[in-house]
Amino acid sequence: MGMNMPSWFDIKGLSPDAPQDEVGLKKSSDLLRSIIDEEAKSIPSERIVIGGFSQGGAVAIYTSLTSDIKLGGLLAFSTWLPLHTKVMDIVKDANKKVPTLQCHGDIDPMVPFTWGKMTAMLLKQLNPEHEMCKLSGVMHSSSPEEMEQCRKFLLKSLPSQ
């Protein structure tokens, strides 16, 4: 497929068995990790929530699973678990119980809802704090319902101090 996505990583195909740009994913994850490290100098890492939509969500999932830094939460919108055949072998303990909200539209033509469900099943095996939200009638986009779920998640995960 060769959809060049220089902001995150190259999409080589849109099927679970398509080759993946592991180098590009890890480079983006390293960038996100450096931002987390910088933020953690001034606020506790347990108050840092990372997340993203589509490719950004894939980077956030991968980063949370492979990070030694305990995070406050993970938001994953219309996304998938990248390197799904490898990542389970390199998961770190720090975020195995990080509060996680995953939302996915049930008519998403870009990242099929079935990928979201498969991702949710794998993440739930690792993390009892994982919550999946099915968005009825939503394509590869956001929705008011998703933003409300996000708001509630953040209030619950990052209570006032």
Side-chain angles (χ1 to χ4, degrees):
M1 193 148 186
M3 293 168 52
N4 192 10
M5 300 289 180
S7 64
W8 292 115
F9 54 89
D10 188 30
I11 294 179
K12 298 180 179 189
L14 292 174
S15 68
D17 59 343
Q20 297 185 56
D21 179 11
E22 187 169 350
V23 171
L25 173 66
K26 288 180 177 179
K27 185 176 176 183
S28 291
S29 179
D30 288 344
L31 175 61
L32 178 54
R33 203 176 324 273
S34 71
I35 294 168
I36 294 166
D37 290 343
E38 190 62 32
E39 291 298 318
K41 290 177 183 177
S42 59
I43 61 172
S45 66
E46 293 87 359
R47 294 199 55 83
I48 297 173
V49 174
I50 62 172
F53 178 87
S54 197
Q55 282 186 299
V59 172
I61 291 171
Y62 180 84
T63 302
S64 86
L65 292 176
T66 59
S67 178
D68 289 317
I69 297 172
K70 174 92 173 106
L71 297 169
L74 171 65
L75 293 163
F77 303 131
S78 301
T79 192
W80 69 97
L81 176 62
L83 304 178
H84 61 280
T85 60
K86 296 180 178 184
V87 76
M88 300 309 243
D89 296 330
I90 58 172
V91 170
K92 305 281 179 83
D93 289 335
N95 293 303
K96 280 190 175 177
K97 292 184 179 177
V98 68
T100 300
L101 174 63
Q102 178 187 349
C103 297
H104 208 116
D106 66 350
I107 59 170
D108 187 334
M110 185 66 71
V111 179
F113 182 67
T114 55
W115 292 14
K117 285 194 307 187
M118 289 188 295
T119 294
M121 287 188 317
L122 288 170
L123 293 178
K124 190 71 172 171
Q125 289 174 17
L126 289 172
N127 182 356
E129 299 299 319
H130 181 273
E131 178 186 342
M132 174 68 169
C133 176
K134 175 182 173 182
L135 301 168
S136 297
V138 176
M139 297 179 76
H140 194 65
S141 61
S142 186
S143 73
E145 178 187 356
E146 182 178 61
M147 290 300 99
E148 179 60 17
Q149 291 292 329
C150 178
R151 185 186 73 77
K152 288 178 182 176
F153 173 82
L154 290 171
L155 289 172
K156 185 172 107 180
S157 301
L158 301 175
S160 298
Q161 293 182 330

